[in-house]
Amino acid sequence: MMELIAQNMAPIMFVSLIFFLLLGYPVAFALAANGLLFFVIGTELAPLSNGTINLSWPLLNAMPERFWGVLSNDTLLAIPFFTFMGIVLEKSGMAEDLLDTIGQLFGPVRGGLAYAVIIVGALLAATTGVVAASVIAMGLISLPIMLRYGYDRSLASGVIAASGTLAQIIPPSLVLIVLADQLGRSVGDMYKGALIPSFVLTGIYLGYVLVMSFLKPQSMPALPKEARTLGSGVMSLIVALAIGTGVFYAAFKWFDNGVNTKNAEILAASVAVIVTYLLALIDKGLKINLMSRLAQQVVIVLIPPLALIFLVLGTIFLGVATPTEGGAMGAVGALILSAVKRRLDGGVVREALAATTRLSAFVMFILLGARVFSLTFYGVNGHLWVEHLLTSLPGGETGFLIVVSILVFFLAFFLDFFELAFIIVPLLAPAAEKMGIDLVWFGVILGVNMQTSFMHPPFGFALFFLRSVAPKVPYLDKVTGKLTDPVKTSQIYWGAVPFVFIQIAMIGVVMAFPGMVMHYKGKVVDPSTVEFKLPDMPGLGGLDGGLGGGLPGAAPGALPAPGGLGLPPLGGPGAPTGAPAAPPQGGDASLGIPAPMGLGTLPPISN
């Protein structure tokens, strides 16, 4: 019996961990306790394991070094930076300004507020990377407005929760940082790989709202004219965009001078954005009013967060900054934006620092617990057990990806993305790499999948965040003065269901079209088209004056004659072939080594 337990320690340990987690123990302590408990058991049962268990008490001496490897990981420094940036931006009022402005822009369109929520969710995701901040901000700001103008409660709740979870997959997502670290890949590559799938997912969300606006037009009415306080003026906005495009074209021609063409598009786009922004500020500040109020507001409100996105992601993609440095610049940029809006004070900074410290400590404790667990799990050959289990699945690469996606989807009912990344991903990565699966592609599939952990009822965190700010009892609307019904929990859950199916479909899309992710590698070069041409090189000297020093009449590729590389022949003039030459003064006749050039005869050394 004990031998059977010893030889099957890995699956027993894995089932025990799931049991601890289902009992509700904190993940970090469940991991560490499980690892230490089975370390003791495994060490005692090692002689009965027939070589399956490789544990001994001296192995614990490796634990401090493993902990130090976690604490000194530069990549994980990006997590507190991006968290701090997100909290400060949430307090800066940027989300409120974006929702109000884009809501006014799409106001005349049926479902305009839903479009605005999704677009703002994508912008907040690209600036904050924090799901909680996005969902809470949009729940507080947009949900009362959507209820005020007759939006269906389930639809409004689903749109807000789903757009908030875009922070999971749109760079600079925290989950992508963690996945890159666990998979041993570059964060920049993971960001590049996730870029197109995140745009596609955002587009599918918008397409869903478009379809529903035709199928159920009464569930998402357009804003009434009296609610569109910025008025009209879309044509003015189009003219402003045309001017910006003209500036871009002129700047591009100026930068693209044949010498410095590498970043001509980026430099030209920066100039165009700055000029358009300055024109809007001057037009509004001097009250020239060449632009409509709507156009002024759209330009002034949209460009600062877009500039922050470029500061963070643009510098990473260009290779100017690492993700950690990009996060630091983003945190500084968030402080500047908040100060410009006069929302920066000691309370905001204190709250942001406290939230950042809590999240960073949470991540660090889970990582340390995972290191304890993995030391024992690898000691009982658990990684080999998981690898053999997964690589023997039918269907090859496709079967592996489908089974792993189903596994992660169901585990996401009980675990959040940090726990999945630190517990499950290190077990899956070796099997994926052995099967030849690109780990960046694999990481993006997992990132899209883990997005569902925030959405599927009844444990989705985004649903909890929205529930915490949605009205629970009837309330008087501040604008209309009418009694408004609350939002039921069942309505929030049903509103999330269509978006969960969209996210599942997106997993299939990324699996079916790996090119959406693989573009991060750059242009693929066909080796058969590569030609190597060496320039003609002059002779390097020697008695024969040639590079190869080949013998006269020798075939190409024959061994060079002595002196062919500029060295004097070992045989002197008149000496038999292979005999040593008589050295010049200062040489050594016994070795046939000539004296150093220009030194002549060295004087004798006196005692």
Side-chain angles (χ1 to χ4, degrees):
M1 179 66 180
M2 299 306 293
E3 292 180 358
L4 181 65
I5 293 175
Q7 293 173 10
N8 293 277
M9 186 70 74
I12 295 172
M13 186 177 177
F14 188 74
V15 172
S16 173
L17 174 64
I18 295 175
F19 177 73
F20 274 118
L21 294 176
L22 291 178
L23 287 179
Y25 283 99
V27 175
F29 302 119
L31 283 167
N34 204 51
L36 290 175
L37 173 64
F38 279 90
F39 187 92
V40 174
I41 297 173
T43 303
E44 296 300 323
L45 295 183
L48 305 175
S49 67
N50 196 21
T52 305
I53 298 177
N54 303 302
L55 293 176
S56 59
W57 293 111
L59 193 60
L60 284 178
N61 295 330
M63 195 59 69
E65 186 176 348
R66 291 170 69 85
F67 283 175
W68 177 247
V70 174
L71 297 173
S72 59
N73 190 336
D74 290 340
T75 302
L76 296 179
L77 271 177
I79 292 177
F81 284 134
F82 285 124
T83 305
F84 180 82
M85 180 178 74
I87 301 298
V88 170
L89 287 176
E90 178 198 352
K91 304 298 180 184
S92 71
M94 184 183 74
E96 184 175 356
D97 293 342
L98 284 170
L99 279 168
D100 180 58
T101 303
I102 298 180
Q104 298 265 350
L105 180 63
F106 287 94
V109 182
R110 194 163 52 221
L113 285 177
Y115 294 129
V117 167
I118 294 172
I119 293 171
V120 172
L123 288 172
L124 290 179
T127 50
T128 65
V130 182
V131 173
S134 299
V135 174
I136 291 174
M138 290 189 294
L140 287 171
I141 300 164
S142 62
L143 185 58
I145 301 174
M146 297 173 89
L147 299 181
R148 180 182 304 153
Y149 295 111
Y151 271 67
D152 180 79
R153 281 165 169 70
S154 293
L155 179 72
S157 302
V159 167
I160 292 171
S163 58
T165 60
L166 288 172
Q168 279 284 93
I169 193 64
I170 295 180
S173 162
L174 297 183
V175 71
L176 294 178
I177 296 173
V178 175
L179 285 173
D181 177 69
Q182 294 299 303
L183 293 170
R185 292 298 181 264
S186 161
V187 178
D189 287 345
M190 195 69 75
Y191 280 177
K192 290 177 184 176
L195 205 58
I196 292 179
S198 63
F199 288 157
V200 172
L201 184 60
T202 305
I204 295 175
Y205 284 173
L206 293 171
Y208 171 74
V209 172
L210 177 65
V211 171
M212 292 302 295
S213 68
F214 286 105
L215 296 179
K216 293 184 177 180
Q218 71 281 2
S219 65
M220 51 180 76
L223 279 180
K225 193 170 183 179
E226 60 271 14
R228 302 199 294 269
T229 55
L230 293 178
S232 58
V234 176
M235 186 56 66
S236 178
L237 180 61
I238 293 173
V239 171
L241 292 176
I243 293 173
T245 304
V247 173
F248 169 80
Y249 180 77
F252 177 75
K253 287 296 184 183
W254 190 75
F255 286 118
D256 190 23
N257 52 15
V259 178
N260 185 23
T261 61
K262 185 177 180 181
N263 297 321
E265 299 93 341
I266 296 170
L267 293 172
S270 302
V271 171
V273 168
I274 292 171
V275 169
T276 307
Y277 186 65
L278 291 176
L279 288 176
L281 284 178
I282 293 170
D283 189 58
K284 184 177 181 180
L286 299 180
K287 297 182 179 180
I288 302 173
N289 294 330
L290 291 176
M291 300 170 65
S292 65
R293 285 183 60 204
L294 179 63
Q296 287 176 356
Q297 191 71 5
V298 168
V299 171
I300 292 172
V301 168
L302 270 182
I303 285 182
L306 291 176
L308 187 61
I309 292 170
F310 174 75
L311 182 68
V312 175
L313 296 181
T315 53
I316 294 173
F317 291 161
L318 291 174
V320 177
T322 65
T324 302
E325 293 165 346
M329 290 191 294
V332 173
L335 289 172
I336 293 172
L337 281 181
S338 186
V340 169
K341 292 179 176 292
R342 299 179 182 178
R343 300 282 184 93
L344 185 64
D345 55 32
V348 169
V349 175
R350 263 195 314 273
E351 190 172 344
L353 288 174
T356 302
T357 304
R358 281 195 299 270
L359 181 65
S360 302
F362 170 73
V363 171
M364 196 58 63
F365 269 99
I366 291 180
L367 262 177
L368 295 178
R371 283 292 184 268
V372 178
F373 177 83
S374 64
L375 178 69
T376 305
F377 197 69
Y378 278 63
V380 298
N381 286 326
H383 59 299
L384 297 178
W385 170 69
V386 173
E387 185 177 307
H388 292 157
L389 184 68
L390 294 175
T391 53
S392 60
L393 292 169
E397 178 183 301
T398 304
F400 170 81
L401 291 175
I402 291 173
V403 171
V404 166
S405 298
I406 294 172
L407 173 67
V408 172
F409 177 77
F410 281 107
L411 286 176
F413 276 91
F414 312 104
L415 304 175
D416 72 3
F417 70 93
F418 277 128
E419 296 158 357
L420 287 170
F422 293 140
I423 300 172
I424 303 300
V425 173
L427 303 179
L428 302 177
E433 191 167 24
K434 186 175 181 179
M435 298 185 73
I437 297 173
D438 184 271
L439 290 186
V440 172
W441 178 43
F442 185 58
V444 173
I445 292 173
L446 291 178
V448 177
N449 201 333
M450 289 179 189
Q451 208 178 2
T452 61
S453 69
F454 280 88
M455 285 294 291
H456 44 43
F459 305 111
F461 287 98
L463 309 182
F464 292 159
F465 297 146
L466 184 58
R467 174 71 280 175
S468 68
V469 296
K472 300 178 180 65
V473 295
Y475 67 98
L476 286 175
D477 186 86
K478 293 185 294 184
V479 175
T480 63
K482 295 180 181 179
L483 189 66
T484 305
D485 293 332
V487 177
K488 299 177 183 178
T489 302
S490 59
Q491 292 171 330
I492 295 176
Y493 284 173
W494 280 114
V497 169
F499 291 96
V500 173
F501 282 110
I502 290 174
Q503 291 169 348
I504 294 172
M506 189 64 205
I507 298 170
V509 170
V510 178
M511 288 170 55
F513 301 99
M516 295 171 63
V517 177
M518 295 300 189
H519 69 91
Y520 82 91
K521 293 183 175 180
K523 187 177 179 181
V524 179
V525 178
D526 184 2
S528 63
T529 63
V530 178
E531 295 182 2
F532 295 96
K533 290 185 179 180
L534 296 176
D536 295 333
M537 300 180 67
L540 298 178
L543 295 179
D544 63 348
L547 174 63
L551 296 172
L559 291 174
L565 294 178
L567 298 175
L570 295 179
T577 304
Q585 280 185 316
D588 190 335
S590 64
L591 298 176
I593 300 174
M597 292 286 291
L599 293 179
T601 304
L602 296 175
I605 301 175
S606 60
N607 292 330

